[in-house]
Amino acid sequence: MSTSKSIFRLTEDWTVVVFGFLIIALALFGIKIPSPTFAWENSTELFEKVVNSSNLLNISKLFLWVYAIAILATKTLGKDVIATVKGFPIVFILTSLALILAGNSFLKNWNLEAVIFSLSIGLMISNFSNIPDWLRESLSTELFVKIGLVLLGTSIIFGDILKAGSLGLIQALLVVVSVWYFAFWVSKKLGIDEEMAIIISSAVSICGVSAAIATAGAIKGDSKKLSYVISIVLITAIPMIIFMPIIAKALGLSEAVTGAWLGGTIDTTGAVIASGSLIGEEALKISTIVKFSQNVLLGLAAFVISIYWTYTNNQSEVAKESKPSLGIIWERFPKFVIGFVAASLLFSFVISGEVISEVKGGLKSLQGLWFALAFTSIGLETNFADLFSSEGKKPLYAFLIAQGFNVMITLVIAYFLFN
């Protein structure tokens, strides 16, 4: 009986590819994914738009979607299904609270994303109360993150490169490559381990939170290190949104140069749009285009980093005796990256724009939900001391130095390309 089970059991990476594409297939075949609203400005809107019977019904439908997938994925992995059945609803409720907090317009303006609230809620509970064993056993951080990453591929459209034009693409390539290597060099000089250095470098150079999550998944990184980096990314973005437009105006930069500068340095698309809007229409357009160009490079970067990490960090006995063969590299290669890239290619070159416009809202909603579920789980299994004290201040210094370099080198490149 046990032999039969092992035949049909999938690895975690293949499981997330299967269920990620199951979600995509259902959406493409017309199964509507519930998209509840979490946006509100004041207490009146909170009760009228979010906490009303219609929206709570949509949240319940969304819960049933992800609950079924979580149970089936747990069963496929051969893990304890009972723990998931009991624990997942609690993780979902806490995550929904985080999404409601993140939906507040005031907090959105400060670029406080749902993942930071998910992490914070989980941390508060885990550090001020005892988490029962059955709840800890139900936490599937890696599963949640990787399903979200496969779905993220549906929003990375290669056609956005064409919209960016040659200048936007050139800037994106120059910034990503130069800033990534500088950040990695600084991290190594400060004595930071390679795993943390790679996550920091990707977060600074590509697109912040998404890049950090994708990179950590690609190298099977420690979730505590990922949380540390994401916390720095989100906190650092707040002053950049406010002060970079002010600095641009003080320097007398044109809207085009300012937009390219903002798009190449601020780490999240939403923050770029918010900051670009403070300058003008042209700045908003160019900043968004440049950010799209960098986002498109995320898939390529994750793929390259996966191969590098697999080749250089293989600890099997065979690898210790000789250089890893292609077979060993394939065995250790994170297969979810294939799902991520395949989803991006599918939505870039196969699916029509009309269909994409119909399904992108629901898929985007699910993608964000899986990420938020993952960070609620990370918070529930992490101590404050582990999150901030164990890594010390060196990663913070490395990130700030790299971000400073990013701001300066991107300004120079933007000035020469867009002035």
Side-chain angles (χ1 to χ4, degrees), residues 153-173:
T154 64
S155 64
I156 305 297
I157 308 299
F158 286 87
D160 289 334
I161 295 180
L162 301 177
K163 294 178 187 176
S166 58
L167 295 181
L169 180 57
I170 290 169
Q171 176 176 317
L173 287 168

Side-chain angles (χ1 to χ4, degrees), residues 178-374:
S178 59
V179 174
W180 198 98
Y181 278 102
F182 179 83
F184 188 76
W185 176 79
V186 167
S187 298
K188 298 300 287 183
K189 283 291 183 183
L190 290 175
I192 297 169
D193 66 89
E194 192 171 36
E195 182 181 309
M196 176 66 100
I198 289 176
I199 297 173
I200 289 173
S201 302
S202 297
V204 174
S205 63
I206 306 174
C207 54
V209 173
S210 296
I213 294 173
T215 302
I219 64 175
K220 303 183 186 297
D222 186 339
S223 62
K224 296 185 182 71
K225 294 178 181 178
L226 173 60
S227 298
Y228 186 103
V229 173
I230 286 179
S231 299
I232 297 172
V233 167
L234 295 174
I235 292 169
T236 306
I238 294 171
M240 291 178 70
I241 295 169
I242 299 168
F243 292 111
M244 285 185 67
I246 296 173
I247 294 170
K249 289 179 179 178
L251 293 174
L253 301 178
S254 67
E255 282 201 24
V257 172
T258 302
W261 188 36
L262 297 175
T265 51
I266 298 178
D267 288 318
T268 63
T269 304
V272 167
I273 292 171
S275 195
S277 300
L278 298 175
I279 301 296
E281 189 173 332
E282 186 181 6
L284 174 60
K285 178 183 175 182
I286 292 178
S287 64
T288 306
I289 283 171
V290 170
K291 178 52 63 179
F292 275 155
S293 297
Q294 288 187 208
N295 289 347
V296 170
L297 295 175
L298 175 58
L300 177 62
F303 188 78
V304 172
I305 290 169
S306 299
I307 294 175
Y308 165 78
W309 188 260
T310 302
Y311 190 83
T312 59
N313 288 270
N314 194 316
Q315 298 301 312
S316 67
E317 291 302 318
V318 176
K320 291 176 182 177
E321 294 173 7
S322 60
K323 289 186 176 181
S325 66
L326 289 176
I328 293 171
I329 290 176
W330 170 250
E331 181 185 337
R332 289 181 55 86
F333 185 80
K335 310 302 189 299
F336 84 90
V337 175
I338 297 172
F340 173 88
V341 174
S344 181
L345 293 173
L346 178 68
F347 274 68
S348 295
F349 303 111
V350 180
I351 308 300
S352 69
E354 185 179 336
V355 174
I356 290 175
S357 64
E358 290 176 2
V359 302
K360 68 179 181 180
L363 291 174
K364 180 73 174 176
S365 174
L366 273 181
Q367 169 211 310
L369 176 59
W370 285 112
F371 284 157
L373 288 166

